[in-house]
Amino acid sequence: MQFTVVTLFPELIDAFGDVGIVGRSRARGLVDIATVNPRDFAADRRGTVDDAPYGGGPGMVMMVTPLRRAIAAARARSGGRTLVAYLSPQGRRFEQALVAELAAYDHLVLLAGRYEGIDERVIERDVDCELSVGDFIVSGGEVPAMLVIDAITRTLPGALGDARSAVEDSFSDGLLDHPHYTRPEVVDGDAVPPVLLSGDHGAIAAWRRDQRLARTRARRPDLLAAGGKPEPDPVG
Ligand code: 9D3
């Protein structure tokens, strides 16, 4: 799977792509991560990519032409099934159901905004969908784009290695995780729950299931609301 991030800060994305499960997936050829910098497509020598908002107000707005050219260059990296997603607070909430939908594409172009945002005409003409990562404010689309790449990469066959599977990931079945323990058996007077030392794999599985349900009920009762939620189409 291909990811191309359109960003004024490619070094952020490059560093992210070198480590952990995403880094290993890249090394194995499972995913390809590239960046395109709108500054390289500016219309002037200075590399201007932003300008003041029509109508007035604080901050700057990312200009149409550098973005449109950058998106075209990003699209040109593949002939496969491509989706252009703009990371923005106005977008559809990014969640696990959407991860699976997006993983069906060959190429995701992730448009990361800075400043107050991007010219609306880019959203109307060049963007297929808008994604938000939650109801809080961050400084730009780069961290949200990394989050999207990370979440999707984890679901690709082979990304997690043989011992683990995406099916075991929390949220794959809509429940929170159970507690985890490792050596020593007692630390500062705190012991590991005895069932985990019992060798009774049936009892351990039952205990973990019970812990997952209890924690979900206590911390995220919304996740236990009956039935799977139907998902709207990511495009439009
Ligand atoms: C303080 C500026 N805000 C005025 C009401 C608007 C605003 C502009 C740009 C708020 C955030 C941003 C930058 N955010 C993103 O690019 C972003 C984001 C987010 O802030 N929250 C959740 N998901 C996302 S995806 C991209």
Side-chain angles (χ1 to χ4, degrees):
M1 178 152 187
Q2 263 183 315
F3 299 97
T4 306
V5 184
V6 175
T7 172
L8 294 172
F9 299 108
E11 64 274 18
L12 278 177
I13 309 299
D14 291 340
F16 162 73
D18 285 342
V19 301
I21 286 167
V22 171
R24 195 181 58 185
S25 298
R26 269 187 66 232
R28 290 176 167 188
L30 225 63
V31 297
D32 174 84
I33 303 174
T35 57
V36 175
N37 192 338
R39 200 170 298 283
D40 296 335
F41 298 89
D44 62 1
R45 286 283 158 79
R46 313 175 61 86
T48 305
V49 294
D50 63 323
D51 205 343
Y54 278 118
M60 299 290 269
V61 175
M62 292 180 75
M63 299 166 70
V64 170
T65 295
L67 282 177
R68 184 163 283 161
R69 290 175 176 171
I71 292 167
R75 281 186 180 280
R77 296 191 62 246
S78 85
R81 195 163 135 76
T82 299
L83 186 78
V84 179
Y86 171 45
L87 288 308
S88 101
Q90 284 72 240
R92 174 179 167 191
R93 176 76 69 86
F94 184 67
E95 59 184 4
Q96 198 66 35
L98 186 48
V99 171
E101 288 182 40
L102 296 179
Y105 288 87
D106 301 307
H107 185 192
L108 285 189
V109 175
L110 299 169
L111 176 53
R114 282 274 157 172
Y115 316 117
E116 289 305 303
I118 74 177
D119 190 302
E120 189 69 19
R121 292 166 291 188
V122 173
I123 301 173
E124 290 169 356
R125 194 168 293 277
D126 305 284
V127 163
D128 298 314
C129 71
E130 279 183 84
L131 304 178
S132 165
V133 298
D135 293 337
F136 47 85
I137 304 296
V138 296
S139 301
E142 286 79 9
V143 169
M146 290 188 264
L147 211 146
V148 168
I149 294 170
D150 193 310
I152 292 172
T153 298
R154 298 180 60 82
T155 70
L156 301 178
L160 298 185
D162 299 333
R164 222 167 358 152
S165 78
V167 179
E168 290 175 30
D169 258 15
S170 181
F171 277 108
S172 63
D173 61 3
L175 294 179
L176 300 183
D177 209 355
H178 54 76
H180 299 268
Y181 299 89
T182 187
R183 291 188 295 179
E185 203 175 307
V186 181
V187 61
D188 298 336
D190 295 328
V192 171
V195 64
L196 299 179
L197 311 174
S198 68
D200 182 341
H201 299 297
I204 291 168
W207 181 85
R208 286 178 169 165
R209 182 83 189 163
D210 186 65
Q211 289 287 317
R212 297 185 67 206
L213 279 165
R215 278 151 61 110
T216 306
R217 203 176 298 120
R219 302 181 191 190
R220 293 293 308 276
D222 57 299
L223 295 177
L224 292 174
K229 303 166 283 186
E231 293 297 331
D233 195 278
V235 180

